[in-house]
Amino acid sequence: MGKSVAGAISGRRIKYVFVIFWLAVAALAGPLAGKLTDVERNDTKSWLPGGAESVQVIDVQSSFASPDTIPAIVVYERTSGLTAADETKLRADAAAFGNLAELDGTVTGPIPTKDGQAAQIIVPVNLGADGWSKAGALVDRLRATATAGADGLAVHVAGPAGTAADSSKAFEGIDSSLLLGTIAVVVVILLITYRSPLLWLLPVISSGVALIAAQAVIYLLAKYADLVVNAQSAGILTVLVFGAGTDYALLLIARYREELRRHEDRHEAMAEALHRSGPAIIASAATVVLGMLCLFFAETNSTKGLGPVAAIGIAVGLAVMLTLLPVLLTICGRWIFWPLRPKVGSAEPTATGLWARVGDRIARRPRGVWIVTALVLAVATIGVVQLDATGLTNKESFRNTQDSIVGEEVLARHGAGGAGSPVVVISTAAAAAATKAAFAGVPGIDPASISEPAVKGDVAYVTGDLVAQPDSQAAYDTVDRVRAAVHAVPGAAAKVGGTTAINLDVQRAAKHDRDLIIPIVLAVVLLILILLLRSVLAPVILIATVVLSFGAALGVSALVFRHVFGFGGADTSLPLFVFVFLVALGIDYNIFLMTRVREEAVKHGTRRAALIGLSATGGVITSAGLVLAGTFAVLATLPLTAFAEIGFAVAFGVLLDTIIVRSVLVTALNLDVGERMWWPSGLGRATSPAVPEKDPVAA
């Protein structure tokens, strides 16, 4: 950041203009931010790959039935066998379900299982475009009817409507719980970091203003520019704005406190702090923004929508942390640091602190340190072979027992696992009979369940039940066989959809997104580092450390998921999300460290600059890592496995990055490679002075 801009922001009078401006923004944005949940799109299509075959089937299905119609399966079980009284009750329940205002079609059943111990009633309901949020109330009414007078008959509500109800309840209150949990984590870590009862207020207030402003911008774009926002991206936004925003605040405050020891006037100190730390903060935020925007290349709509949502959050957070936070700090003055107020001429504590001593030890054998550290990280990556990121079944998606899952298990136990989630096949009307015959002949499809083709115009529509549970590998294999069979029918132009086909297409789109976006993100980050550090070798080395850190974090996480938490698998999007968050956010710490090293290398040479940079930034990088890890760890408190996995993997990866990779591995590489780090710039041709054996930073 230029000195003139930094001076303007920290000016004696203009600082009050910034305060008034952000107060006005918060006042205007508050009501809009509160409406963000109103524009969330949690319908099926908003989570799916846009061009997938199953999505095309959804579009065609709308001409036969509303795309908002989903079946609720009311499941009854009596292990001793259904009685005559049970059968009478089931018929009465089916009649009652037929009077639902949300009914869209005909109630089917009761359908008893072959062993006579269970039965199901299929109730097609239409809850509208925002039915996901209404499913819980409807399912509660269905359950109330079914349990009335059950007399020991076990009742569950399964099927897509039951799953939607359980999912919406799991997300219920997610915004407030995430916000409160995130704020609590940030406050505790800031109190420990600054040992001040007041200073923590300023970063938290600034982060709160940033979140409100970001949510308002996203609300307007979702309402008027068709930006896709769902519960997942809205939840991650809260964590990201507070985590990254507090990171930027920590870096700025650390440099400001450093400058207060050199300047009597706090405005001059802030101007210098912004001038020195501003470029690193801006570059870090730009890296995250561009990394998140790379998600726009994803096929999966939920992943594609997360990119701009996260990018907006980071951009707004950057603007607040470089304008509102500096003026709040200068308005408050030195007393905000009480009881450890920095005085002019006082010693800089980082010069002889923990990280200065760590640097002294690394300097004794830097090559051995980086080789051993890299080998340990490489060994940790082996755990990736334990990662099963092929998707979570309905049961694995929740960390606690859900009624819809119990209902599915009851049906599977009694040989009716595929009911309620049929495979859907569309074809041309002329080839309807041939398509139906090919469909019925596929192993894994119940021939007796094949419907007669419904025809509208030139399109025919036919459904059939799976023999296996809809979310099992056997069901996915059956969908592939169905596609192979019906695609071979001449002139049919057949396509296969349904819940199982949708899940299969999501899995494959996630693999496509991972293989495409990871190289793009690496290229973007590499380019930013080259421009910032004016070097080629240093960025390549730093990218290598980031990839190694990501691999180690994912490897350890895979082992923890399987052997500690007992998760059955991982969400298909986990590797990509963890990569983007760790690389885009982890590169922040590279930038914080290396920009300081380069600044000092001009005066002291790279080897001594590496130690100065570590001692000056080690504490703030560690604190920033703790904040970011803590905020992401809040995700692990949610009852959804996918959130818990992302929260743990990113939190662990950030801690690994800040404590080991950034502070030990990169410092050791700086010391070993020396001036060659800056090749091919002129700084790379300088000669580095020898590093003193003792107390290098003080020297």
Side-chain angles (χ1 to χ4, degrees):
M1 181 181 290
K3 285 189 176 182
S4 58
V5 176
I9 293 173
S10 57
R12 295 179 182 277
R13 295 178 181 174
I14 199 170
K15 60 178 180 281
Y16 297 106
V17 175
F18 281 111
V19 172
I20 293 171
F21 170 77
W22 283 113
L23 283 175
V25 168
L28 294 173
L32 298 177
K35 296 179 181 179
L36 182 59
T37 53
D38 296 341
V39 294
E40 285 182 9
R41 287 158 61 178
N42 294 298
D43 58 294
T44 302
K45 285 188 65 174
S46 68
W47 296 78
L48 302 180
E53 185 173 333
S54 57
V55 177
Q56 297 175 46
V57 172
I58 291 175
D59 294 334
V60 174
Q61 276 183 269
S62 61
S63 63
F64 292 89
S66 170
D68 300 322
T69 299
I70 54 175
I73 304 177
V74 185
V75 181
Y76 302 81
E77 182 188 34
R78 191 183 295 277
T79 53
S80 59
L82 296 175
T83 65
D86 291 337
E87 293 172 1
T88 300
K89 172 179 169 46
L90 265 60
R91 287 192 294 271
D93 287 354
F97 297 150
N99 295 322
L100 286 171
E102 298 88 350
L103 186 70
D104 189 10
T106 304
V107 174
T108 304
I111 307 170
T113 57
K114 292 180 180 179
D115 60 11
Q117 295 178 356
Q120 59 182 310
I121 300 174
I122 302 175
V123 187
V125 292
N126 187 335
L127 301 176
D130 59 343
W132 184 77
S133 60
K134 299 177 181 177
L138 172 74
V139 166
D140 286 343
R141 281 158 42 210
L142 290 174
R143 188 180 293 111
T145 299
T147 54
D151 191 24
L153 191 65
V155 175
H156 311 282
V157 182
T163 302
D166 289 338
S167 178
S168 64
K169 287 180 180 178
F171 275 101
E172 191 174 0
I174 184 175
D175 294 332
S176 58
S177 59
L178 276 179
L179 180 60
L180 293 174
T182 301
I183 291 175
V185 167
V186 169
V187 169
V188 169
I189 295 174
L190 290 180
L191 282 170
I192 295 171
T193 300
Y194 293 125
R195 287 171 286 174
S196 167
L198 301 171
L199 184 56
W200 63 270
L201 279 167
L202 303 189
V204 169
I205 290 171
S206 300
S207 295
V209 171
L211 179 61
I212 291 171
Q215 288 176 330
V217 171
I218 292 166
Y219 165 77
L220 293 173
L221 291 175
K223 187 171 181 65
Y224 300 108
D226 204 31
L227 175 66
V228 176
V229 186
N230 55 34
Q232 182 187 64
S233 56
I236 290 176
L237 174 70
T238 300
V239 170
L240 200 57
V241 170
F242 264 89
T246 307
D247 274 8
Y248 304 148
L250 284 164
L251 183 66
L252 175 63
I253 293 173
R255 193 61 188 250
Y256 175 53
R257 185 167 54 180
E258 199 176 318
E259 296 301 332
L260 283 173
R261 302 179 190 279
R262 300 171 183 158
H263 297 82
E264 185 70 42
D265 187 282
R266 65 182 187 272
H267 299 87
E268 293 178 4
M270 179 55 73
E272 188 66 19
L274 280 171
H275 172 60
R276 295 296 181 183
S277 64
I281 295 174
I282 293 170
S284 299
T287 303
V288 180
V289 168
L290 292 176
M292 294 301 169
L293 289 178
C294 290
L295 295 176
F296 193 73
F297 293 103
E299 282 188 352
T300 309
N301 288 335
S302 57
T303 302
K304 182 183 292 188
L306 175 62
V309 168
I312 290 168
I314 294 295
V316 174
L318 173 68
V320 173
M321 293 305 167
L322 289 184
T323 54
L324 178 60
L325 179 62
V327 302
L328 291 177
L329 286 166
T330 52
I331 288 171
C332 292
R334 295 174 190 266
W335 67 266
I336 197 69
F337 291 93
W338 182 85
L340 302 174
R341 289 185 294 180
K343 298 179 181 179
V344 177
S346 60
E348 176 57 47
T350 59
T352 55
L354 169 65
W355 291 108
R357 296 194 296 273
V358 169
D360 186 27
R361 297 207 169 212
I362 295 172
R364 297 173 188 175
R365 294 183 182 84
R367 183 167 299 176
V369 169
W370 77 254
I371 289 175
V372 171
T373 305
L375 285 174
V376 171
L377 293 173
V379 170
T381 63
I382 297 174
V384 171
V385 300
Q386 294 274 298
L387 185 68
D388 179 18
T390 56
L392 298 165
T393 65
N394 287 340
K395 181 179 181 179
E396 294 166 347
S397 296
F398 298 94
R399 298 176 61 191
N400 46 22
T401 302
Q402 302 292 331
D403 187 61
S404 61
I405 307 303
V406 177
E408 287 181 3
E409 292 175 338
V410 169
L411 290 175
R413 192 161 56 242
H414 296 288
S421 297
V423 175
V424 177
V425 179
I426 60 171
S427 68
T428 59
T435 302
K436 177 187 174 184
F439 184 21
V442 174
I445 295 293
D446 179 6
S449 69
I450 303 293
S451 66
E452 286 300 318
V455 178
K456 281 193 177 181
D458 189 41
V459 180
Y461 172 97
V462 61
T463 64
D465 289 341
L466 292 156
V467 173
Q469 281 189 264
D471 57 0
S472 64
Q473 185 58 49
Y476 295 145
D477 293 340
T478 300
V479 168
D480 278 334
R481 290 193 294 270
V482 171
R483 282 177 170 167
V486 300
H487 289 172
V489 176
K495 292 181 174 61
V496 178
T499 302
T500 304
I502 286 170
N503 292 337
L504 181 61
D505 287 342
V506 167
Q507 283 186 22
R508 290 174 177 165
K511 183 179 184 304
H512 164 273
D513 294 345
R514 185 168 65 243
D515 294 344
L516 174 67
I517 293 173
I518 285 178
I520 294 175
V521 171
L522 287 175
V524 168
V525 171
L526 179 63
L527 180 60
I528 290 175
L529 287 175
I530 289 173
L531 294 174
L532 180 68
L533 300 177
R534 286 162 282 173
S535 163
V536 173
L537 183 59
V540 170
I541 291 175
L542 294 176
I543 287 292
T545 66
V546 165
V547 172
L548 188 59
S549 177
F550 161 71
L554 200 61
V556 172
S557 297
L559 295 174
V560 172
F561 294 162
R562 182 179 290 267
H563 301 292
V564 178
F565 295 157
F567 294 156
D571 189 72
T572 53
S573 62
L574 176 74
L576 177 59
F577 281 2
V578 173
F579 177 84
V580 171
F581 287 132
L582 285 184
V583 171
L585 296 170
I587 211 69
D588 280 7
Y589 309 121
N590 269 318
I591 291 173
F592 294 169
L593 174 63
M594 292 304 290
T595 51
R596 184 60 181 264
V597 171
R598 198 182 199 289
E599 178 186 333
E600 300 294 342
V602 175
K603 298 177 285 187
H604 304 290
T606 299
R607 288 185 172 88
R608 187 173 296 176
L611 299 178
I612 296 173
L614 175 61
S615 66
T617 66
V620 68
I621 287 177
T622 303
S623 298
L626 287 172
V627 168
L628 194 61
T631 53
F632 268 92
V634 174
L635 291 174
T637 64
L638 300 177
L640 298 159
T641 303
F643 273 87
E645 289 175 340
I646 292 174
F648 177 87
V650 174
F652 177 79
V654 167
L655 292 176
L656 183 69
D657 211 48
T658 54
I659 298 173
I660 303 298
V661 177
R662 245 17 80 231
S663 303
V664 178
L665 179 59
V666 173
T667 297
L669 285 166
N670 276 328
L671 288 167
D672 190 26
V673 178
E675 260 60 36
R676 289 170 294 173
M677 267 286 187
W678 313 113
W679 179 87
S681 71
L683 189 59
R685 294 189 291 273
T687 302
S688 182
V691 177
E693 292 186 2
K694 294 183 179 180
D695 201 9
V697 177

